[in-house]
Short mmCIF file of all heavy atoms in Angstrom, two decimals:
data_model
loop_
_atom_site.label_atom_id
_atom_site.label_comp_id
_atom_site.label_asym_id
_atom_site.label_seq_id
_atom_site.Cartn_x
_atom_site.Cartn_y
_atom_site.Cartn_z
N ARG A 115 -22.20 44.76 7.28
CA ARG A 115 -22.97 45.86 7.85
C ARG A 115 -24.14 46.21 6.92
O ARG A 115 -23.98 46.20 5.70
CB ARG A 115 -22.07 47.09 8.03
CG ARG A 115 -21.03 46.96 9.12
CD ARG A 115 -19.98 48.04 8.95
NE ARG A 115 -19.01 48.08 10.05
CZ ARG A 115 -17.95 47.28 10.14
NH1 ARG A 115 -17.71 46.37 9.22
NH2 ARG A 115 -17.11 47.41 11.17
N HIS A 118 -22.76 51.02 5.24
CA HIS A 118 -21.32 51.17 5.48
C HIS A 118 -20.60 49.82 5.41
O HIS A 118 -19.62 49.60 6.14
CB HIS A 118 -21.04 51.84 6.83
CG HIS A 118 -21.56 53.24 6.93
ND1 HIS A 118 -20.81 54.34 6.62
CD2 HIS A 118 -22.78 53.71 7.29
CE1 HIS A 118 -21.53 55.43 6.81
NE2 HIS A 118 -22.74 55.07 7.21
N ARG A 155 -12.24 53.70 10.95
CA ARG A 155 -12.77 52.96 9.80
C ARG A 155 -13.48 53.94 8.88
O ARG A 155 -14.34 54.70 9.32
CB ARG A 155 -13.73 51.85 10.24
CG ARG A 155 -14.22 51.00 9.07
CD ARG A 155 -15.03 49.80 9.52
NE ARG A 155 -15.49 49.01 8.40
CZ ARG A 155 -16.62 49.25 7.70
NH1 ARG A 155 -17.40 50.26 8.03
NH2 ARG A 155 -16.96 48.49 6.69
N GLY A 190 -18.83 59.40 12.58
CA GLY A 190 -19.28 60.50 11.73
C GLY A 190 -19.23 60.17 10.25
O GLY A 190 -19.00 59.03 9.84
N ASN A 191 -19.44 61.18 9.45
CA ASN A 191 -19.40 61.08 7.99
C ASN A 191 -18.50 62.17 7.43
O ASN A 191 -18.07 63.06 8.16
CB ASN A 191 -20.81 61.27 7.41
CG ASN A 191 -21.64 59.99 7.48
OD1 ASN A 191 -21.11 58.89 7.66
ND2 ASN A 191 -22.94 60.14 7.33
N PHE A 204 -34.99 56.15 9.20
CA PHE A 204 -33.74 55.58 8.66
C PHE A 204 -33.98 54.32 7.83
O PHE A 204 -33.47 54.22 6.72
CB PHE A 204 -32.75 55.32 9.80
CG PHE A 204 -31.35 55.03 9.31
CD1 PHE A 204 -30.63 55.96 8.58
CD2 PHE A 204 -30.74 53.80 9.58
CE1 PHE A 204 -29.34 55.69 8.14
CE2 PHE A 204 -29.46 53.52 9.13
CZ PHE A 204 -28.75 54.47 8.41
N ARG A 401 -29.85 56.62 17.00
CA ARG A 401 -28.60 55.90 16.73
C ARG A 401 -28.07 55.24 18.01
O ARG A 401 -27.42 54.20 17.95
CB ARG A 401 -27.55 56.86 16.18
CG ARG A 401 -27.88 57.42 14.81
CD ARG A 401 -26.79 58.37 14.35
NE ARG A 401 -25.57 57.68 13.96
CZ ARG A 401 -24.37 58.26 13.93
NH1 ARG A 401 -24.22 59.52 14.26
NH2 ARG A 401 -23.31 57.56 13.55
N SER A 404 -29.50 51.89 17.90
CA SER A 404 -29.32 51.03 16.73
C SER A 404 -27.99 50.28 16.67
O SER A 404 -27.92 49.13 16.28
CB SER A 404 -29.47 51.88 15.47
OG SER A 404 -29.11 51.17 14.34
N TYR A 405 -26.91 50.95 17.07
CA TYR A 405 -25.60 50.37 16.78
C TYR A 405 -25.34 49.11 17.59
O TYR A 405 -24.86 48.10 17.08
CB TYR A 405 -24.50 51.43 16.97
CG TYR A 405 -24.52 52.45 15.85
CD1 TYR A 405 -25.60 53.33 15.71
CD2 TYR A 405 -23.51 52.54 14.91
CE1 TYR A 405 -25.66 54.26 14.67
CE2 TYR A 405 -23.55 53.46 13.87
CZ TYR A 405 -24.63 54.31 13.76
OH TYR A 405 -24.69 55.22 12.73
N GLN A 409 -24.93 45.12 16.16
CA GLN A 409 -23.75 44.26 16.42
C GLN A 409 -24.18 42.90 16.95
O GLN A 409 -23.49 41.90 16.76
CB GLN A 409 -22.78 44.89 17.43
CG GLN A 409 -22.39 46.33 17.18
CD GLN A 409 -21.88 46.63 15.80
OE1 GLN A 409 -21.59 45.71 15.03
NE2 GLN A 409 -21.78 47.89 15.45
FE1 HDE B 813 -25.19 54.95 10.97
N1 HDE B 813 -25.37 52.94 11.21
N2 HDE B 813 -27.14 55.16 11.37
N3 HDE B 813 -25.05 56.94 10.61
N4 HDE B 813 -23.25 54.75 10.57
C1 HDE B 813 -24.40 52.04 11.06
O1 HDE B 813 -23.98 50.27 12.54
C2 HDE B 813 -27.94 54.23 11.91
C3 HDE B 813 -26.05 57.85 10.71
C4 HDE B 813 -22.35 55.75 10.38
O2 HDE B 813 -17.35 51.85 10.19
C5 HDE B 813 -24.81 50.66 11.48
O3 HDE B 813 -22.24 48.89 12.95
C6 HDE B 813 -29.24 54.79 12.21
C7 HDE B 813 -25.54 59.19 10.74
C8 HDE B 813 -21.05 55.20 10.11
O4 HDE B 813 -18.42 50.36 11.36
C9 HDE B 813 -26.24 50.84 11.96
C10 HDE B 813 -29.17 56.10 11.80
C11 HDE B 813 -24.18 59.05 10.62
C12 HDE B 813 -21.22 53.82 10.17
C13 HDE B 813 -26.44 52.33 11.76
C14 HDE B 813 -27.86 56.32 11.27
C15 HDE B 813 -23.91 57.65 10.54
C16 HDE B 813 -22.60 53.56 10.46
C17 HDE B 813 -24.59 49.59 10.44
C18 HDE B 813 -30.28 57.13 11.85
C19 HDE B 813 -23.13 60.16 10.55
C20 HDE B 813 -20.17 52.76 9.94
C21 HDE B 813 -23.42 48.77 10.93
C22 HDE B 813 -30.74 57.39 13.15
C23 HDE B 813 -23.09 60.98 11.72
C24 HDE B 813 -19.37 52.49 11.18
C25 HDE B 813 -23.12 49.28 12.23
C26 HDE B 813 -18.29 51.48 10.88
C27 HDE B 813 -23.14 52.29 10.64
C28 HDE B 813 -27.58 52.92 12.13
C29 HDE B 813 -27.46 57.57 10.72
C30 HDE B 813 -22.56 57.17 10.40
C31 HDE B 813 -27.29 50.01 11.27
C32 HDE B 813 -30.41 54.05 12.81
C33 HDE B 813 -26.34 60.48 10.90
C34 HDE B 813 -19.76 55.96 9.83
O5 HDE B 813 -26.37 50.54 13.32
#
Side-chain angles (χ1 to χ4, degrees):
R115 290 164 174 82
H118 297 268
R155 184 173 180 275
N191 279 342
F204 193 62
R401 293 180 73 202
S404 171
Y405 287 66
Q409 311 308 348

